[in-house]
Amino acid sequence: MLILTCPYCGVACDETELAPGGEAHLKRFGPGSTDEEFEGYLFQRENPRGVHFERWRHAYGCGKWFHAARDTVTMEVFGTYSAQVTEPPEEIRAKISAKHPGWSWREFS
Amino acid sequence: MTRYSAFAVAREAFRNHQGWTRAWASPEPKRRYDAIIIGAGGHGLATAYYLGKNHGIRNVAILEKGWLGGGNTGRNTTIIRSNYLQDPSAAIYEKARSLYEELSQDLNYNVMFSPRGVMMLAQTEHEIRGYKRTAHANALQGVDTEFIGPERVKKLCPIIEIRGPRYPVLGALWQPRGGTARHDAVAWGYARKCSEMGMDVIQKCEVTGIRTEGGKVVGVTTSRGDIDCDKLGIVVAGHSGHVADMAGFRLPIESVALQALVSEPIKPCMDVVVMANTVHGYMSQSDKGEMVIGGGADGYNNYTQRGSFHHIEETVRALVETFPMISRLKMLRMWGGIVDMTGDRSPIISKTPVEGVFINCGWGTGGFKAIPGSGWATAEMIAKGEPGPLAEAFGLERFREGRFIDESVAAGVAH
Ligand SMILES: Cc1cc2nc3c(=O)[nH]c(=O)nc-3n(C[C@H](O)[C@H](O)[C@H](O)COP(=O)(O)OP(=O)(O)OC[C@H]3O[C@@H](n4cnc5c(N)ncnc54)[C@H](O)[C@@H]3O)c2cc1C
Ligand SMILES: [Zn+2]
C-alpha cells in the first residue's frame, strides 16, 4: 500500500484517502499550438521505470492537490511537495540523486 | 517433435510416457535474423507464428527477458469476447475470437477454448442504454450478441442475486460465443509451432538497447550479446514505454498494475463468464473449480507486478452483493500484471518513427482475447511494411489526428 504525506496537513495518507492525478509538470498547449505539441500535452507520457513525478489530491482530507516524487519500480517515496511549483524542490532532487546518481526525467515546467 | 493426438496418448501410456519430446528448443541466439520480436507473450509469439505461417518469414527470433508467457499472458483471467462498440475493434476482436475456435487444431495444442458465453451485466440505467447500443452495433458488424432481461440472466447463471440492494441486475449484454481459454497453453502452443518452423524462442534474454543507423534499425543489444536484424517488432505490453525509449520515441501509454485472484476450488456452480463493470468485478469458474476473479486497475503508474490489498477488498465486496454465495469462500492466491493503458483504451498496432521498427501494445486490461487476431494483423504489417485492413485504424498517428477508437465509454473496464 502506497503512503504519501500531504504537504499541507502533514497527514500520512494511505492511497485510499488520495485521488491520483497522473503525470506532473506537464506544459499546457492549447489554441495556436502545433498538432505535435497538443498531442504531446494530451497523450504522450514519460511512464518511466524508476523516478517519477505525479500529481495527487488529498481527496478524503483537505481536498488540495500536491506533488509526489516516487520510484515506480521499488515504490519508494522520495517526498511530496506543493502543487504551486513547476519543478521539484532542490531537497527532493538531492534525495533522488543520492539514490540514483545521474537520474533524468524530461524537462520540467 | 511429437504430434499430439489421442493415438499418441495411448501409445505413450503403453511405454511409461518415455517417448514425449521437448515442446520447443532452447537455442543460443544467432548473430542475425530477418526479424526479431521482443517479448514472448501471446501477442509476440502469435506475431512470429503468423509471420512464418502466412508470410513465409521464418528466420525469426523471439526474445524474452523472463520466461515464456510470464508477463500478462500468464496472469490474466482469460475472458474472450468481441462485443466491442467501434467497428475497427469489432473487426480485430472478432477475427481473434473466430481464430480461437480452431486454434487447438491449428496449433495441434489444446488451448482449451471454452465458448461458454460471456454476460456483461447492466446494473444502472446508463448501462442498459449503453449495452443496447452495443448490441445494435454488433448486429451491424456481424458479431452475434443480444441484450437480455434479468430473468434470462438468472436462468443462465442461477447463483446471481438479481435484486441486489445497491446494484440490481437490470439486464445484460450476452455473447454466447464468448468464453475462456487456457492462457499458458496459448503461449506454449504458439511457441511450440514457432520452434517447429525453425524460429528461435530465446528466454532469459533481455533487450537493453536498440541500435539504429541513419534512422533505420540494424539490431538490438541484449543481456546475451548483440543481435542484428532487418525488422524489429516491439511487443512488450507494460514495458512498451521503456523499450520505445531505447529506440528514441515516446508513446501515449501509461503502465499500471491490474490484479486478479482465485478462490479455493468448489463444485461446478457457474458455467458462464459474468462481468459486472459498474462495480469493477468479473468472475468465472475454472475447470479445476476455482472461482477466477478480476478487479480494477491501479490509478497510478507502477511496475511492481503485485498490486494492493484495497483493490481486492473493493472487488470482492462488490461481487459478494451480486453473488452472495461467495461470501464464505476462501481465497487462494492473488497476483498482478503490468498493463499498458492508452488514452482511448484501444491498442496500438503501428509503424514507428524508426524505419524497420514496428510496435504492438496498448492492449491494457483486455488483450488476451485478441492474441490470434493481433498476431495476424501485426505479422501482416511487419511482412509488408504497411498495416493491412485489420491494423490500419490502430496507428500511432490517431492520437495526433484525433481519430480515437473510443472503447472507454463502451466498457468501464475492458477485459
Ligand atoms: C490481472 C489481469 C487480468 C486480465 N484479464 C484479461 C481478460 O480476462 N481477458 C483479456 O482479454 N485480457 C485480460 N488481461 C490483459 C491481457 O493479459 C494482456 O492484454 C495480454 O496478455 C498482453 O499480452 P502481450 O503478449 O502483449 O504481453 P505480455 O504477456 O505481458 O508479454 C510481454 C513480454 O515482453 C517481455 N519483455 C518486456 N520487456 C522486455 C525486454 N526489454 N526484453 C525482452 N523481453 C521483454 C515480458 O517479460 C513479457 O513476457 C488481463 C491482464 C491482467 C494483468
Ligand atoms: Zn491534506
Side-chain angles (χ1 to χ4, degrees), chain A residues 9-80:
Chain A
C9 39
V11 175
C13 324
D14 91 47
E15 59 185 284
T16 57
E17 216 174 304
L18 302 167
E23 189 168 311
H25 307 304
L26 290 175
K27 185 163 161 40
R28 268 170 184 277
F29 286 95
S33 61
T34 65
D35 287 354
E36 283 71 21
E37 285 166 341
F38 197 52
E39 180 198 17
Y41 161 54
L42 284 182
F43 297 108
Q44 308 284 11
R45 292 295 175 261
E46 214 48 32
N47 196 24
R49 229 168 95 183
V51 179
H52 198 29
F53 302 90
E54 297 167 317
R55 302 177 76 229
W56 287 83
R57 196 167 74 86
H58 191 185
Y60 296 104
C62 66
K64 289 181 185 158
W65 284 98
F66 62 89
H67 281 126
R70 210 166 56 77
D71 188 312
T72 60
V73 177
T74 61
M75 298 291 271
E76 178 177 5
V77 178
F78 302 115
T80 54

Side-chain angles (χ1 to χ4, degrees), chain B residues 62 83 343:
Chain B
I62 305 110
N83 52 355

Side-chain angles (χ1 to χ4, degrees), chain A residues 1-2 15-16 20 23 35-36 39-40 43-49 52 54 56 70 72-73 75 106, chain B residues 65 206 239 242 250-255 299-304 306 308 310 343 396 399-400 404:
Chain A
M1 183 156 284
L2 184 61
E15 59 185 284
T16 57
E23 189 168 311
D35 287 354
E36 283 71 21
E39 180 198 17
F43 297 108
Q44 308 284 11
R45 292 295 175 261
E46 214 48 32
N47 196 24
R49 229 168 95 183
H52 198 29
E54 297 167 317
W56 287 83
R70 210 166 56 77
T72 60
V73 177
M75 298 291 271
R106 64 169 165 72
Chain B
K65 72 171 176 173
E206 176 166 5
H239 298 275
H242 169 68
R250 288 214 293 165
L251 290 173
I253 294 264
E254 301 214 60
S255 300
Y300 52 89
N301 299 26
N302 70 83
Y303 289 84
T304 58
R306 43 167 206 251
S308 35
H310 75 270
L396 270 171
F399 296 95
R400 189 170 57 245
F404 311 118

Side-chain angles (χ1 to χ4, degrees), chain B residues 106-343:
Chain B
D106 187 28
L107 298 179
N108 179 232
Y109 201 97
N110 188 0
V111 302
M112 296 166 74
F113 177 55
S114 159
R116 59 183 68 180
V118 174
M119 203 151 72
M120 295 169 77
L121 301 182
Q123 295 179 288
T124 62
E125 290 295 329
H126 177 78
E127 269 185 309
I128 298 182
R129 282 197 297 275
Y131 287 147
K132 283 188 174 161
R133 179 181 175 207
T134 305
H136 291 313
N138 290 162
L140 293 172
Q141 293 151 347
V143 176
D144 185 11
T145 63
E146 189 188 344
F147 188 83
I148 59 176
E151 306 74 34
R152 200 50 211 292
V153 170
K154 182 75 182 171
K155 197 144 177 250
L156 284 164
C157 185
I159 65 169
I160 288 192
E161 169 57 273
I162 55 174
R163 291 176 309 273
R166 271 197 309 169
Y167 294 109
V169 174
L170 307 172
L173 181 63
W174 169 237
Q175 183 172 27
R177 290 165 187 245
T180 59
R182 173 148 188 238
H183 48 15
D184 294 328
V186 171
W188 296 340
Y190 276 121
R192 176 166 166 270
K193 275 289 175 190
C194 287
S195 186
E196 192 182 278
M197 285 191 284
M199 297 180 178
D200 289 351
V201 182
I202 303 167
Q203 305 182 64
K204 294 191 193 151
C205 179
E206 176 166 5
V207 172
T208 52
I210 294 176
R211 291 176 291 120
T212 58
E213 267 168 31
K216 188 180 176 322
V217 68
V218 293
V220 294
T221 309
T222 78
S223 53
R224 294 169 69 171
D226 282 4
I227 312 176
D228 295 342
C229 64
D230 295 339
K231 292 181 173 182
L232 181 67
I234 302 175
V235 197
V236 295
H239 298 275
S240 299
H242 169 68
V243 175
D245 191 43
M246 297 175 193
F249 58 94
R250 288 214 293 165
L251 290 173
I253 294 264
E254 301 214 60
S255 300
V256 304
L258 177 71
Q259 314 181 62
L261 65 159
V262 294
S263 74
E264 60 189 333
I266 54 174
K267 287 195 171 166
C269 64
M270 180 182 182
D271 61 0
V272 293
V273 179
V274 177
M275 305 174 63
N277 290 339
T278 292
V279 296
H280 282 262
Y282 48 99
M283 189 161 84
S284 65
Q285 189 167 22
S286 74
D287 293 345
K288 281 185 281 183
E290 302 154 328
M291 304 309 288
V292 181
I293 298 174
D298 280 349
Y300 52 89
N301 299 26
N302 70 83
Y303 289 84
T304 58
Q305 274 195 160
R306 43 167 206 251
S308 35
F309 182 73
H310 75 270
H311 275 300
I312 297 291
E313 193 193 357
E314 239 168 61
T315 301
V316 173
R317 190 171 59 211
L319 284 179
V320 163
E321 264 183 39
T322 311
F323 301 95
M325 66 157 270
I326 69 167
S327 68
R328 276 171 296 165
L329 269 189
K330 292 189 185 72
M331 295 301 153
L332 276 192
R333 297 188 297 280
M334 61 179 271
W335 64 89
I338 302 304
V339 297
D340 38 342
M341 309 294 281
T342 58

